[in-house]
Amino acid sequence: MQREDRLHYMDNLRALAMLAGVVFHAALAYSPLMHPIWPTADTGHALIVDIVAWFFHLFRMPLFFVVSGFFAALLVNNRGMAGFFRNRCARVLLPLLICLPLIITSLHWLTAEAAVNAAQPSPVLIWLRAYIAENGAMPYAPGWAHLWFLFYLMLFTVLVWVVSAFELARFSKKIATLHPAILPLAFPLLLTPALAGVTVPWSAPEFFLPSLWALFFFGAYFALGYQMFLSTALLERLRSRSSLWLIGGLAAYAALFWLSNGFISQGNASQHFAYALLEAYAGFWLTLWCLITAKQWLDSSNALMRWLADASYWVYLIHLPLLFAIQYRLLDVTMHWTAKFAIALMATLALSFLSYQLLVRHTVMGKLLNGRVPKKRHGIDVPKAI
C-alpha cells in the first residue's frame, strides 16, 4: 500500500464511531437503566432509549478498536516501529495529557455546581448534595473519564512492539488461513469469559488502573484490525455472508435484551454467562457487518465526510463537558425528554464543530490531532492524503 492511498471507509468508520459516542452519551440522561447512576439523569425517560442506545453500545467501541488496529498496522508498515511510536505519542498520548486535566476539572466543577443549585436533581446529584453538605467538597476518584480509550490505545501500542519483538505475529498468519466460517463463530467465544466478568452491558473501563477484561476484550478487536491490514482478503472472505452477520447480530441482541429484562437482571452465574455469550456474538457480528458494509458503501472520497473525519477526534475529546453543562440546565426545564435530547445533542455538536473550525483546524492543535494543517484555497479546505 502506497503512502498516498487513503482508506476512506476506515476514515469514515472511525468518524462515525466517535460521533455515535456523542449520541450515546446524550441519550444516557434519558435511559431508565442509567437513571440511578448517571449524573445528568432526567426525570423523563423511556424504554426505547435503552433499546437503541445499548444496541449501538455493543459494537461502537469494538468497531473503533478494529479501525485503530488497522491503522496501527498501516503505520508500522509505512514508518517502521519507531515512526509508529512517535506517531502514537504525538496523536494519542499528548492529546490525552493536555485534555484530561481540563476535562476532569470542568466535569468536576459543573457537577458540583449542579449538585448545589439544581431544583430537580438526579439521584446522583442528590447523593452528592448530601456528601458536600457533610464534607464540604465533592468526592474525587482518579480516572480517565471518556478518554479511557486513549489510555488503552497507548497500552496496545506497547503490545504491538511486544508482539513484534517476540515474533508472535506468526500465529496471526494462521488465522488468515482459517475457513471463513470459523472466525465469526470462534472469536465471540474467546471474548465471552472477559464479558462474563463484568456487568451486561459492559461499562466503560474508566478507572485509572487498566482492567484485565478490557485489555483482553478491546485488545482482541485491536488485534483483529491489525490482522485485517496484513491479510487484505480476510474481510472479502466474509463478505458473502454479510446479511447473515446482520440478522444474527440483531437476533442475539433481541434475545439478550428480552432475557435480561432490558439489562435490569444480571441473573445467576449460568444466566450471566449466557448473557455475556449473546453480548459477544451480537457485538462481533454487528461489528463485522459494519466493516463489510462500510467497505462497500463508504469507500469513496467525500469532502463532508473528510471534514467530519478530521473534526470527530476534537468533537469526542470536548463533547462531555459541553453536554453536561447543557443537560444540567435542562434538568429544571419542563419539556418532553425527546425535545431535551434533541436540544442537548444538537447544541453540543454545534459548539464542538464550530470550535473545531474556528479554534483548532488550522492551528497547532489541529496538526496535533490530525497530523497536518489543512490548506485553504479561496476559503475552502483542501484535504491532504496521508
Side-chain angles (χ1 to χ4, degrees):
M1 184 174 295
Q2 302 300 312
R3 289 175 65 99
E4 62 268 20
D5 292 339
R6 281 210 70 85
L7 297 159
H8 299 291
Y9 78 103
M10 282 291 181
D11 275 340
N12 295 335
L13 268 180
R14 181 170 54 187
L16 293 176
M18 283 193 165
L19 296 178
V22 181
V23 180
F24 175 70
H25 288 146
L28 291 185
Y30 317 103
S31 158
L33 181 66
M34 294 295 287
H35 188 77
I37 59 174
W38 190 248
T40 63
D42 198 274
T43 52
H45 45 71
L47 182 63
I48 187 65
V49 175
D50 278 342
I51 295 174
V52 176
W54 296 109
F55 171 73
F56 286 103
H57 174 73
L58 289 188
F59 58 92
R60 179 178 61 83
M61 289 310 295
L63 184 62
F64 173 83
F65 277 99
V66 170
V67 174
S68 298
F70 188 97
F71 281 122
L74 184 148
L75 284 168
V76 172
N77 179 74
N78 287 349
R79 304 184 183 185
M81 195 60 69
F84 170 61
F85 263 87
R86 284 194 295 271
N87 179 278
R88 296 298 81 183
C89 287
R91 300 281 303 281
V92 178
L93 181 60
L94 199 51
L96 174 62
L97 296 178
I98 293 172
C99 294
L100 185 65
L102 301 174
I103 287 171
I104 293 292
T105 302
S106 58
L107 287 174
H108 192 84
W109 181 81
L110 287 166
T111 302
E113 286 291 303
V116 174
N117 298 317
Q120 299 184 56
S122 65
V124 170
L125 293 180
I126 292 173
W127 182 85
L128 289 172
R129 181 176 294 179
Y131 186 95
I132 294 171
E134 183 176 350
N135 299 278
M138 282 259 292
Y140 174 75
W144 301 102
H146 63 296
L147 304 188
W148 61 268
F149 71 102
L150 296 178
F151 171 59
Y152 280 85
L153 280 182
M154 288 309 302
L155 295 178
F156 297 151
T157 297
V158 176
L159 287 179
V160 167
W161 174 81
V162 171
V163 170
S164 175
F166 290 93
E167 299 183 348
L168 298 178
R170 62 181 184 275
F171 295 112
S172 66
K173 294 179 181 176
K174 295 182 180 179
I175 296 176
T177 63
L178 294 175
H179 188 278
I182 293 180
L183 182 65
L185 295 177
F187 194 87
L189 277 177
L190 293 174
L191 300 178
T192 301
L195 293 179
V198 293
T199 57
V200 176
W202 50 265
S203 58
E206 298 175 352
F207 189 58
F208 193 71
L209 297 176
S211 300
L212 286 178
W213 78 267
L215 281 174
F216 184 84
F217 181 70
F218 295 114
Y221 277 108
F222 184 89
L224 175 66
Y226 201 99
Q227 184 58 39
M228 280 178 54
F229 176 83
L230 299 178
S231 305
T232 53
L234 182 61
L235 201 58
E236 287 298 320
R237 295 170 64 197
L238 300 167
R239 182 177 175 179
S240 62
R241 296 177 174 85
S242 63
S243 58
L244 189 63
W245 313 135
L246 175 61
I247 295 170
L250 291 172
Y253 178 71
L256 172 63
F257 196 86
W258 179 66
L259 292 173
S260 65
N261 192 23
F263 303 117
I264 293 175
S265 169
Q266 295 295 313
N268 56 35
S270 58
Q271 288 173 323
H272 188 74
F273 190 86
Y275 298 163
L277 189 68
L278 288 169
E279 187 180 29
Y281 273 99
F284 182 73
W285 286 344
L286 291 168
T287 300
L288 201 56
W289 180 80
C290 287
L291 289 165
I292 294 170
T293 304
K295 191 169 185 181
Q296 182 176 0
W297 297 104
L298 295 179
D299 196 20
S300 60
S301 178
N302 180 298
L304 176 60
M305 286 303 300
R306 182 60 203 278
W307 188 88
L308 288 174
D310 287 346
S312 60
Y313 192 2
W314 170 255
V315 171
Y316 195 84
L317 286 175
I318 69 161
H319 81 277
L320 204 57
L322 294 174
L323 182 65
F324 272 31
I326 296 166
Q327 289 188 324
Y328 280 142
R329 293 280 184 180
L330 290 174
L331 286 176
D332 296 335
V333 177
T334 302
M335 191 183 293
H336 194 270
W337 72 265
T338 54
K340 291 186 179 184
F341 171 69
I343 291 171
L345 179 61
M346 292 299 106
T348 300
L349 287 176
L351 290 171
S352 301
F353 285 139
L354 192 63
S355 63
Y356 171 74
Q357 184 63 33
L358 296 179
L359 306 175
V360 175
R361 185 165 176 79
H362 302 290
T363 66
V364 174
M365 191 64 181
K367 184 176 182 179
L368 186 67
L369 298 180
N370 298 323
R372 76 281 180 271
V373 178
K375 296 178 180 177
K376 283 186 173 181
R377 184 178 297 167
H378 303 300
I380 300 174
D381 295 343
V382 180
K384 178 184 178 183
I386 60 173

